[in-house]
Amino acid sequence: MEWVKAVQRLRAGRQAGVLVTVMSVRGHAPREAGAKMVVAADNVWGTVGGGNLEALGVERSRAMIADDVTAPEVLTAALSDKAPYQHGVQCCGGEVKLLLEPLPVVPSVAIFGVGHVGLELARVLARHDLELHLIDSRADQLTSDRLAALDDAVANVHVHNVPVLPELVVGELPPGTHVLIMTHDHAEDAALCDAAIRNEELATIGLIGSSAKWTRFQRKLAEDGNSVDAIARITTPIGLSDLPGKEPAVIAVSVAAWLLQQFVAERHPASAHSAVRRPTPAQREAKA
């Protein structure tokens, strides 16, 4: 099915689109109910019948993409020479309803460090429609048995086993990725922070750890030539201020909720001021 491949291509390329389906047909029409096409800002795959009908579907789909519309719409077109038309007469004699379903670019999240907290966080995030990257320098943290809890994930899970220089993965992440740094090794965390703030295409950078750890990191990042503004791109600590606790599952829920707020802020920038909250002292002292 060409439209399935088109949807996969858009998702892999992190491009928005619209899936257009012939929802119902009354009378004569060029395609039957169920026919589909996929519309992107610069391409079209499949067909729902050509002519004025299809041109209307493409036109409205591209307007939805441009306006970042997320709710499905129904478009009704009469196929008659007496009906208003914009892109040529189409007089099959019937009436067609098109269902236009947005295919948004889903969030991308990278968890560096799949230890106790990282795995719990992955379990929570895997229930959402997103691209989830799991990176760890320890092979035993990424075994199929350990990650079996993610087998039924809604998210598209990408596992990166990088025993040497995991910070190189930072440069391979899709633009707009939210990075969460919570490895077992503070030296690894520091290298990842340095790599992350040098990548201007990342959405957010979150670091788990104590205030003492962050003080040391700020000094080291500055010594390595990073500006104050660059260092300020890192949010630490991460989580919700009103959800205390040091248990991995509690921290994971807190961080996941904080991250979901970032997704909302991306879709609705006006609410960004309320998207970031600071965690409690207990969370600040949490270890990855």
Side-chain angles (χ1 to χ4, degrees):
M1 293 176 139
E2 185 181 11
W3 70 269
V4 173
K5 293 180 180 178
V7 171
Q8 294 170 340
R9 184 182 305 175
L10 288 177
R11 176 144 183 164
R14 299 190 60 72
Q15 290 182 268
V18 174
L19 175 62
V20 182
T21 305
V22 177
M23 184 177 174
S24 66
V25 174
R26 184 171 60 83
H28 296 286
R31 292 297 305 273
E32 67 285 350
K36 298 179 186 293
M37 72 176 177
V38 176
V39 180
D42 58 358
N43 212 337
V44 176
W45 298 268
T47 177
V48 291
N52 188 63
L53 169 67
E54 188 163 302
L56 287 173
V58 170
E59 182 179 69
R60 180 54 196 158
S61 294
R62 287 181 171 157
M64 292 171 70
I65 293 170
D67 294 338
D68 197 24
V69 175
T70 58
E73 295 183 4
V74 175
L75 180 65
T76 302
L79 307 181
S80 166
D81 57 0
K82 297 182 176 59
Y85 57 87
Q86 297 168 248
H87 306 280
V89 176
Q90 200 168 13
C91 52
C92 303
E95 181 182 86
V96 176
K97 288 187 177 181
L98 298 178
L99 175 63
L100 281 58
E101 298 177 271
L103 303 170
V105 177
V106 301
S108 175
V109 179
I111 301 175
F112 285 86
V114 194
H116 298 301
V117 175
L119 182 59
E120 290 293 340
L121 179 57
R123 288 163 61 96
V124 176
L125 293 178
R127 309 314 306 160
H128 298 268
D129 185 21
L130 48 81
E131 299 291 325
L132 180 60
H133 297 263
L134 305 179
I135 307 99
D136 206 298
S137 58
R138 302 164 294 171
D140 60 345
Q141 301 300 297
L142 298 174
T143 63
S144 56
D145 287 345
R146 193 163 187 273
L147 299 182
L150 309 180
D151 286 348
D152 63 346
V154 175
N156 191 14
V157 181
H158 309 266
V159 177
H160 305 258
N161 189 343
V162 281
V164 180
L165 300 177
E167 59 268 25
L168 294 180
V169 177
V170 172
E172 301 171 357
L173 296 171
T177 296
H178 297 264
V179 167
L180 298 168
I181 300 171
M182 48 182 65
T183 81
H184 66 296
D185 184 349
H186 284 195
E188 195 170 297
D189 281 356
L192 287 165
C193 285
D194 184 74
I197 60 179
R198 294 177 190 274
N199 183 341
E200 297 181 354
E201 294 187 330
L202 299 178
T204 60
I205 306 166
L207 172 68
I208 197 170
S210 66
S211 57
K213 173 183 174 181
W214 179 230
T215 298
R216 292 194 300 272
F217 275 32
Q218 286 177 292
R219 182 168 58 249
K220 177 67 167 59
L221 290 169
E223 290 171 355
D224 289 342
N226 294 290
S227 68
V228 173
D229 288 344
I231 296 171
R233 291 179 61 204
I234 298 174
T235 297
T236 187
I238 47 177
L240 299 184
S241 60
D242 51 357
L243 186 58
K246 289 188 176 183
E247 298 86 350
V250 173
I251 298 171
V253 169
S254 177
V255 174
W258 171 81
L259 190 58
L260 291 174
Q261 289 181 331
Q262 311 310 306
F263 299 163
V264 172
E266 283 184 335
R267 293 194 302 270
H268 308 288
S271 65
H273 68 279
S274 62
V276 178
R277 299 181 187 176
R278 297 296 182 184
T280 63
Q283 288 173 328
R284 283 198 290 270
E285 299 301 325
K287 297 180 180 179

